[in-house]
Amino acid sequence: MLLRSTLLGLSALVLGAGSVHAQQPTGQMEVNCSQFTHNPDGSWSVKQPIELFSETGRVRITPGPPFKPGMSFGGLDIAKMLDRQCR
């Protein structure tokens, strides 16, 4: 009985640790370019609410003012990132 309880406890610990690790930000920001619009002035607008993960944590973006190059949002230069990945 003790062995069974120990094994169940270890299984829960391993599964819990795996889920925490999976939620950690990787710093690798891959975006779905179809979620953004590239504006004529070089800025970018988000079409729908999205969530990105960076080295500093989770960044939630909702439609609103456009992201211009050099502008920081949640510690990220969204326009620069999109220029690299989506143009």
Side-chain angles (χ1 to χ4, degrees), residues 37-45 66 69 87:
T37 299
H38 188 243
N39 302 312
D41 67 354
S43 65
W44 292 85
S45 299
R87 290 191 67 186

Side-chain angles (χ1 to χ4, degrees), residues 6 12 34 41 45 47 58 70 79:
T6 303
S34 68
D41 67 354
S45 299
K47 296 178 182 178
R58 183 180 308 177

Side-chain angles (χ1 to χ4, degrees), residues 23-29 51-55 57-59 76:
Q23 295 172 1
Q24 294 297 316
T26 64
Q28 298 174 353
M29 303 275 303
E51 193 171 80
L52 301 175
F53 297 91
S54 73
E55 293 171 353
R58 183 180 308 177
V59 178
L76 300 171

